[in-house]
Amino acid sequence: MAESIIRQTNRTLLLEEINPEKRNLLTLIGDVRGMDSLSDDKIREINETLLVRSFGEFLEKFDPTIYSFFNAATQSVVYTEEKPAGIPENMLSAVHLNLHNDFLKMLMTLVETKRSQGIINADFRFEKLTEMISPRKVMEDIRQIRKELQYSYSEYAKLEDGDPYKLDLGDKLNAMFEEASANYQNLMAMIPLAISDIRTRLLLGRTKEKEERKALALGVLTMSEEGELKVIEAPKDGEAALLPLDEHENAGLIKALEEDYDALNENGSSYVRQLVVRTFCPLSSKAEAEIDVRREVEHYNAYLEFYKNAKEDFIRAVKPLAEKLLGVWAFFEQYPKGLKGMRPSMLVANVRNELLASSLNLPKLAAYLNTVNEKNDYSDTVWYAVLPSVSLDERSRMSGARERFRGRSGSPKSDSVSVESMVRTADLLKDYGVQCFYSYETGDRTSFNSMATSGVAFFDERCQSLSGKSFSEYLIPCVPNFTIIPKEKSGVRLESRMLVNEHEAAELSEAKEDLLKLWIDGIYIGAAFVAAGLMAACQSPEYLKERFRRGVDPELPGVRFDIESGNNPLRAHTAMSREITGFTNSVKEDIKRRGFGFVFSSENAVLEGEDINAVMVYKARNLKLSEGGYEAIYKTQTANYIERILRHATGDFKPENLARFFSNHPTSRKSLWLARKDKVNAILDARDEMDYEIDEAAGTCFVELSFHGSRKRLELLLNRGDSA
């Protein structure tokens, strides 16, 4: 089929830095002075390094990391997104934000839970999931690992040496020990385990009634010769054992854990070694040696305070990066996992737009786009760009003002993109037909809740200076941003401090001020990620077929698909759960009147008797003013698609080939498109028109496109074979 000329119409460029330690687009492109384009080998290297087709591949290639080190002067942990210079490797720890990281895992679980339940933010119990990063929840995950470790080792110990199954179990145990060692090689990871361990050992005998919280003496249930049931105190070390002798099952595992800890920690402590054993091996049946309750309570309170402060500092450092990662995750989530076809792909520039938009670096981006977007091979063409976290200050400059006084953490955002740098990048992107989806810095001011009360005017006013420019057609403001955890519901209950009562037993304090809590201060996703991800998904005929079931041409991309039209928003909705009950009629009227931007809505909706509990698209417009309103984004992509098909099919616009392309012959491209005008993904629908006119004297061809009466004109330079 001729449409195979262009196999993808959804390659997306992410204009954001993920890991400064990894190579970026500018580094890979290198010096381009005197060069018009890059070599095929260079494009292949860029793809191998920066191109991803799934969130898993993204994490694997970019390994987003937060670094930490200890400051002895302040007795605290310092976290930073950039690897600090001058600090020895052995003094530096790396926290990898992958699918095993408890913070990122908690956020993704939260999104998926809300989606499956279809509950709005006001009704959702965020605290049930935010507690996933509390010491108690961390220990629950460890307990599952502990069960699997003990079971696998007990099975391993039963088998004879040389048994093939024993070798298989050996491989499994090696992998499990490797996972466990990731905790006990990092003392910070052991702190929540130590908190939970002390809590478990000191509070085993706690009852609900405060007056009954007495010192604990472990015992066993016995039956006297007269048949009387009695609990007697367990023997101390050296006494005859009254308990079942199951220690032989754990002895080998305990020894293996101790040896593994010693091998990985030359200067380790016996306290931590025993903590490792108690954590990753079921508690010994024998009673432990006597516990120094007061010392253990002091440890517990110190660990808890240190953990709270360190976790708060970690969250403060990791939050901007975590929001970027969630954005990329949301981009790929818009396309169903099991679906094949034209899967969206993302080229991660891995560089901040402030640096990319400098006069030194823009020529590098131009050389790259000239290579992939201006040739007749469209396999690597970039169609979209994502630019999140644009400053809410429309007068912001690339060189931000110095922060003289400390204010609220994260406000104003030091990592936001200045409007000036966005304009400079957009001015270049327009030359290569790249539509730029951008969203404003995240926070409660740009959320669904905020827009529900103030309407879209807040955003529209900030875009006034961007309308009526040559690049306006390629700038798409996306609003509002998505709320993962509202700031007012972002508290995480840790534990209460511990005290020693009059019976010399440990108990948890009931005083309100002794309950330790930390605040995440809200987590959000930039709307540009979701908008670009959804439109990238809509390019795939397989995706459209899944949503519409019939009336979809399997060979045509969704370039002409108007997501605003009819029931299209109900069928091609986002993968994000509704956030609010909806907008008032006055707010909806305001949105319709302004016809502005790529606007999401969170409304009650029903399609064919089925409730739609997902966020939908209300408007999909760029900043180009046309015929009294802002222009629909599909018109820009359709025009670019038609021009690229024309360029390839006519040999760079040869007059005789143009005549053939536009002829009424049944096999001409125009006729083939019109024959499919009733399809969901038609290139030209029943009310569209396409014609051309050649100006021989000027050597140009004008292609006239009409989308339901709204006209668009392409001016093409003819490729004439004669000397004229």
Side-chain angles (χ1 to χ4, degrees):
M1 170 62 193
E3 295 303 330
S4 61
I5 292 170
I6 297 180
R7 294 181 179 275
Q8 64 86 11
T9 55
N10 56 7
R11 176 73 51 87
T12 303
L13 173 65
L14 175 59
L15 300 168
E16 185 57 277
E17 183 179 64
I18 301 299
N19 187 342
E21 299 302 312
K22 297 289 184 179
R23 289 185 292 175
N24 61 45
L25 185 60
L26 296 177
T27 305
L28 289 166
I29 292 172
D31 189 1
V32 296
R33 283 174 292 187
M35 295 171 58
D36 182 60
S37 64
L38 308 178
S39 68
D40 291 347
D41 287 338
K42 178 58 68 177
I43 296 300
R44 186 179 299 111
E45 181 187 13
I46 289 171
N47 287 345
E48 288 173 354
T49 308
L50 305 179
L51 185 66
V52 296
R53 291 182 170 82
S54 68
F55 184 63
E57 186 182 7
F58 166 77
L59 291 178
E60 184 180 335
K61 281 192 175 182
F62 291 93
D63 185 26
T65 305
I66 293 290
Y67 297 93
S68 69
F69 58 92
F70 295 97
N71 184 346
T74 59
Q75 292 291 298
S76 62
V77 191
V78 179
Y79 293 96
T80 174
E81 193 174 334
E82 291 195 20
K83 191 174 185 180
I87 296 180
E89 288 288 334
N90 64 333
M91 305 291 287
L92 203 61
S93 296
V95 180
H96 301 279
L97 292 179
N98 52 34
L99 296 176
H100 300 291
N101 177 265
D102 61 346
F103 187 66
L104 190 61
K105 189 165 58 175
M106 178 265 288
L107 296 174
M108 292 167 62
T109 302
L110 201 154
V111 177
E112 290 172 338
T113 304
K114 268 189 88 246
R115 181 195 303 163
S116 62
Q117 294 181 357
I119 298 176
I120 61 173
N121 292 348
D123 298 332
F124 189 73
R125 299 187 66 183
F126 289 93
E127 68 278 4
K128 290 294 183 183
L129 288 166
T130 55
E131 286 182 3
M132 284 176 65
I133 59 174
S134 70
R136 196 179 306 179
K137 292 296 182 181
V138 172
M139 195 61 201
E140 283 182 9
D141 291 342
I142 293 292
R143 286 195 188 100
Q144 183 57 36
I145 297 173
R146 189 168 74 182
K147 289 178 184 177
E148 295 175 11
L149 191 62
Q150 188 205 20
Y151 174 75
S152 297
Y153 184 82
S154 64
E155 292 296 301
Y156 176 84
K158 292 175 187 175
L159 298 171
E160 297 180 14
D161 290 344
D163 188 323
Y165 182 53
K166 185 169 187 174
L167 298 177
D168 291 340
L169 282 174
D171 290 336
K172 184 178 180 180
L173 282 168
N174 284 332
M176 295 178 78
F177 264 71
E178 188 66 31
E179 186 177 345
S181 69
N183 285 281
Y184 54 76
Q185 282 188 85
N186 179 0
L187 195 58
M188 272 302 299
M190 292 300 293
I191 291 176
L193 307 183
I195 293 169
S196 182
D197 173 71
I198 294 173
R199 190 180 190 280
T200 300
R201 288 187 293 126
L202 294 187
L203 302 181
L204 277 174
R206 194 187 74 172
T207 66
K208 291 182 180 179
E209 298 301 325
K210 184 175 180 180
E211 60 271 18
E212 293 181 13
R213 294 175 190 165
K214 299 180 180 180
L216 172 68
L218 292 179
V220 292
L221 181 67
T222 62
M223 184 178 289
S224 69
E225 292 181 2
E226 291 78 22
E228 181 185 1
L229 284 177
K230 192 173 184 181
V231 178
I232 65 170
E233 188 174 347
K236 303 291 189 292
D237 288 343
E239 296 181 17
L242 295 175
L243 303 181
L245 295 177
D246 62 353
E247 293 307 310
H248 65 279
E249 293 186 6
N250 286 333
L253 182 56
I254 291 169
K255 184 179 178 183
L257 285 165
E258 289 176 337
E259 290 176 350
D260 194 51
Y261 173 81
D262 290 337
L264 293 169
N265 298 272
E266 293 181 9
N267 301 314
S269 74
S270 58
Y271 183 89
V272 178
R273 184 192 302 112
Q274 291 308 307
L275 175 60
V276 168
V277 170
R278 289 195 299 268
T279 300
F280 292 100
C281 184
L283 291 174
S284 170
S285 296
K286 289 169 63 178
E288 292 192 52
E290 195 165 321
I291 298 173
D292 186 335
V293 174
R294 289 192 176 275
R295 190 180 68 173
E296 290 294 325
V297 167
E298 287 177 7
H299 286 164
Y300 174 90
N301 290 334
Y303 295 161
L304 189 59
E305 192 75 36
F306 190 88
Y307 178 78
K308 173 190 176 294
N309 294 334
K311 203 71 175 178
E312 280 182 334
D313 291 340
F314 170 73
I315 289 171
R316 196 175 296 117
V318 79
K319 200 171 85 163
L321 178 57
E323 289 188 341
K324 296 176 194 175
L325 304 187
L326 285 173
V328 175
W329 180 67
F331 173 88
F332 285 110
E333 281 291 290
Q334 305 314 307
Y335 198 83
K337 288 183 174 62
L339 206 59
K340 296 183 179 179
M342 194 195 298
R343 293 193 64 85
S345 59
M346 177 178 278
L347 188 82
V348 183
N350 198 31
V351 63
R352 294 194 68 226
N353 193 66
E354 306 298 287
L355 181 60
L356 186 67
S358 70
S359 56
L360 179 66
N361 292 323
L362 274 179
K364 296 182 180 182
L365 179 59
Y368 172 76
L369 291 175
N370 200 46
T371 307
V372 297
N373 280 33
E374 297 298 298
K375 293 183 177 181
N376 284 350
D377 181 352
Y378 300 109
S379 55
D380 291 312
T381 296
V382 175
W383 295 82
Y384 303 140
V386 170
L387 185 57
S389 202
V390 173
S391 173
L392 281 168
D393 179 5
E394 63 266 43
R395 294 174 295 280
S396 64
R397 306 290 294 176
M398 289 178 72
S399 53
R402 184 166 63 89
E403 185 179 356
R404 290 167 175 81
F405 302 98
R406 185 177 180 184
R408 255 185 112 259
S409 173
S411 180
K413 293 203 170 187
S414 58
D415 61 342
S416 62
V417 176
S418 67
V419 174
E420 185 195 31
S421 74
M422 177 181 72
V423 165
R424 296 188 65 174
T425 302
D427 197 40
L428 175 67
L429 294 177
K430 76 160 188 332
D431 295 336
Y432 300 96
V434 180
Q435 293 177 287
C436 182
F437 294 82
Y438 76 91
S439 49
Y440 289 102
E441 58 190 72
T442 55
D444 59 342
R445 283 206 297 167
T446 57
S447 66
F448 274 90
N449 267 334
S450 177
M451 201 166 91
T453 57
S454 60
V456 78
F458 175 78
F459 302 103
D460 195 3
E461 289 164 6
R462 277 153 181 76
C463 295
Q464 290 301 314
S465 62
L466 301 173
S467 296
K469 304 293 192 297
S470 59
F471 53 76
S472 300
E473 182 180 0
Y474 289 90
L475 269 181
I476 305 168
C478 306
V479 296
N481 291 325
F482 290 78
T483 301
I484 305 306
I485 305 177
K487 71 175 187 178
E488 69 275 9
K489 295 188 176 184
S490 63
V492 181
R493 292 166 57 95
L494 296 179
E495 298 280 2
S496 289
R497 290 186 178 89
M498 201 176 278
L499 50 84
V500 180
N501 65 18
E502 65 273 18
H503 303 292
E504 290 299 308
E507 65 179 47
L508 294 175
S509 172
E510 294 181 350
K512 186 177 180 181
E513 61 271 17
D514 283 338
L515 175 62
L516 269 64
K517 194 172 185 179
L518 59 86
W519 290 89
I520 299 173
D521 199 26
I523 296 288
Y524 306 87
I525 292 177
F529 286 105
V530 181
L534 181 61
M535 295 317 299
C538 289
Q539 297 306 304
S540 169
E542 285 82 358
Y543 172 86
L544 293 175
K545 186 176 181 182
E546 188 210 48
R547 294 302 171 101
F548 287 85
R549 297 188 181 89
R550 52 184 173 270
V552 177
D553 191 292
E555 295 173 325
L556 294 176
V559 292
R560 173 62 180 80
F561 179 69
D562 181 5
I563 200 165
E564 284 186 34
S565 177
N567 282 337
N568 290 354
L570 297 175
R571 295 190 181 278
H573 55 72
T574 72
M576 312 300 288
S577 176
R578 285 175 58 224
E579 296 201 7
I580 59 176
T581 52
F583 298 137
T584 62
N585 290 334
S586 59
V587 168
K588 285 189 279 191
E589 286 300 320
D590 185 38
I591 295 172
K592 284 192 283 187
R593 181 176 57 81
R594 293 175 186 270
F596 156 83
F598 199 107
V599 182
F600 290 105
S601 70
S602 175
E603 299 284 322
N604 283 314
V606 177
L607 178 66
E608 296 173 357
E610 195 171 313
D611 289 337
I612 307 296
N613 289 315
V615 169
M616 297 173 290
V617 177
Y618 204 65
K619 292 292 176 186
R621 310 290 177 90
N622 55 42
L623 290 177
K624 180 184 178 182
L625 285 167
S626 175
E627 300 176 0
Y630 292 105
E631 191 165 89
I633 65 173
Y634 77 84
K635 297 177 184 178
T636 302
Q637 184 160 4
T638 306
N640 288 337
Y641 177 81
I642 289 173
E643 181 178 340
R644 285 166 179 162
I645 289 287
L646 266 169
R647 180 182 291 279
H648 186 281
T650 63
D652 293 327
F653 314 125
K654 291 180 179 177
E656 62 276 17
N657 292 342
L658 284 166
R660 191 176 303 117
F661 188 100
F662 287 100
S663 76
N664 292 323
H665 192 278
T667 60
S668 74
R669 184 59 55 85
K670 179 181 176 181
S671 297
L672 291 173
W673 282 345
L674 290 174
R676 305 173 183 193
K677 61 188 177 184
D678 59 330
K679 300 297 183 183
V680 171
N681 53 338
I683 305 300
L684 299 170
D685 79 9
R687 292 187 288 166
D688 292 345
E689 296 176 7
M690 180 175 70
D691 214 337
Y692 79 113
E693 178 185 340
I694 290 180
D695 186 337
E696 289 285 355
T700 56
C701 172
F702 298 100
V703 177
E704 296 285 348
L705 299 173
S706 174
F707 301 104
H708 297 192
S710 174
R711 307 192 73 78
K712 201 168 186 64
R713 197 178 211 208
L714 305 177
E715 184 175 342
L716 315 173
L717 186 63
L718 292 175
N719 176 15
R720 295 189 290 198
D722 55 40
S723 59

